[in-house]
Amino acid sequence: MRIDIITVVPELLQSPFQHSIIKRAQEKGLVEIHLHNLRDYTDTKYRQVDDYQFGGGAGMVLQIEPIDKCISKLQLERDYDDIIYVTPDAPVLKQSTANSLSLHKNIIILTGHYKGVDQRVRELFITKEISIGDYVLSGGELAAAVLCDAIIRLIPGVLGDETSALTDSFQDGLLAPPVYTRPAEYKGLKVPDILLSGNFPKIEEWRHEEAEKRTKKIRPDLI
Ligand code: ADE
């Protein structure tokens, strides 16, 4: 999979992809991540890519021209399955969206800054809009990092133990059940006997019941 990210602050996106699972996914050739500085697509003085909004009001808006130049250049090089804009005024990211995006070959992620992008960018280029939650970040870069992480770990071969993504929270519409590791008892707190029983069908049953209990209590909206 290839992910092209368009941003005005590429520095913000360097570290999230240089460690752990995402780093190994790139080393294994399972994903390529390319950062594009929007300021490289303007000839204006001071490499300005934003301007005041028509109609007045606080906050700058990213202009259409540099975004058009950047996306059009990328589209000449390859076809894209989706051109995604990360923004708080969009449907909230779900595990099911990450699942389907992980099957794509090439995607572009456009990150907003300040007041966001000129509406015509959204109408002309964007095929999918995603928010990572009902709160506002200072820019779309961290949202793009979250989205990439959620997608990349689902690409076959990225996680060593393939089943571990399948047993994540949300994969079956439920939160994950509780997990324990050694010691079996700590300061009087015991691991549930069933997990030490070696009876794997019963363990699976217990895990499912616990996942349901947890989901009903914490996220009844998912049921
Ligand atoms: N940019 C700023 N806030 C955001 C959010 N919650 N989701 C996606 N992009 C954003």
Side-chain angles (χ1 to χ4, degrees):
M1 180 180 204
R2 175 182 167 118
I3 305 178
D4 290 277
I5 307 178
I6 305 172
T7 166
V8 284
V9 198
E11 299 80 8
L12 263 176
L13 278 162
Q14 268 144 16
S15 170
F17 303 131
Q18 280 173 6
H19 308 277
S20 182
I21 290 170
I22 309 298
K23 178 185 178 200
R24 282 199 296 279
Q26 292 172 90
E27 286 169 353
K28 284 192 209 165
L30 296 169
V31 67
E32 270 179 41
I33 302 167
H34 298 266
L35 303 179
H36 304 276
N37 188 339
L38 196 56
R39 295 186 199 283
D40 293 340
Y41 295 84
T42 179
D43 311 320
T44 57
K45 212 173 159 189
Y46 309 119
R47 306 214 300 156
Q48 189 181 342
V49 289
D50 57 356
D51 210 335
Y52 295 102
Q53 50 178 316
F54 280 125
M60 305 292 273
V61 176
L62 289 177
Q63 292 172 290
I64 190 167
E65 192 177 346
I67 296 174
D68 180 2
K69 282 187 180 158
C70 183
I71 292 179
S72 300
K73 175 178 173 279
L74 290 171
Q75 282 179 319
L76 278 179
E77 293 164 0
R78 69 196 62 76
D79 287 334
Y80 285 91
D81 302 297
D82 261 316
I83 303 181
I84 300 166
Y85 176 47
V86 280
T87 176
D89 53 340
V92 174
L93 177 62
K94 297 269 185 293
Q95 189 63 34
S96 54
T97 313
N99 286 345
S100 57
L101 290 175
S102 73
L103 303 173
H104 281 352
K105 192 159 178 277
N106 302 312
I107 59 171
I108 293 175
I109 302 177
L110 172 65
T111 64
H113 236 266
Y114 322 113
K115 275 283 162 197
V117 299
D118 187 305
Q119 179 61 26
R120 291 165 293 184
V121 170
R122 299 170 76 159
E123 286 160 16
L124 219 57
F125 300 109
I126 301 302
T127 59
K128 198 179 245 335
E129 299 188 332
I130 295 177
S131 161
I132 62 155
D134 292 335
Y135 41 81
V136 180
L137 303 167
S138 343
E141 285 75 15
L142 298 182
V146 167
L147 176 61
C148 287
D149 191 296
I151 296 171
I152 292 168
R153 61 192 295 286
L154 296 171
I155 297 172
V158 168
L159 294 182
D161 175 3
E162 288 291 0
T163 58
S164 73
L166 297 175
T167 56
D168 282 342
S169 277
F170 306 112
Q171 278 301 3
D172 56 1
L174 296 174
L175 301 185
V179 291
Y180 299 86
T181 185
R182 286 187 289 183
E185 183 172 345
Y186 184 71
K187 294 187 177 172
L189 292 171
K190 286 190 181 156
V191 170
D193 287 338
I194 181 74
L195 295 178
L196 310 175
S197 69
N199 184 339
F200 295 105
K202 280 270 169 237
I203 291 174
E204 276 316 300
E205 213 175 286
W206 178 87
R207 283 184 171 146
H208 188 74
E209 281 165 18
E210 290 298 313
E212 273 184 345
K213 266 194 233 163
R214 199 177 245 191
T215 311
K216 272 185 197 147
K217 188 163 175 231
I218 303 172
R219 292 290 306 276
D221 56 300
L222 293 176
I223 303 272

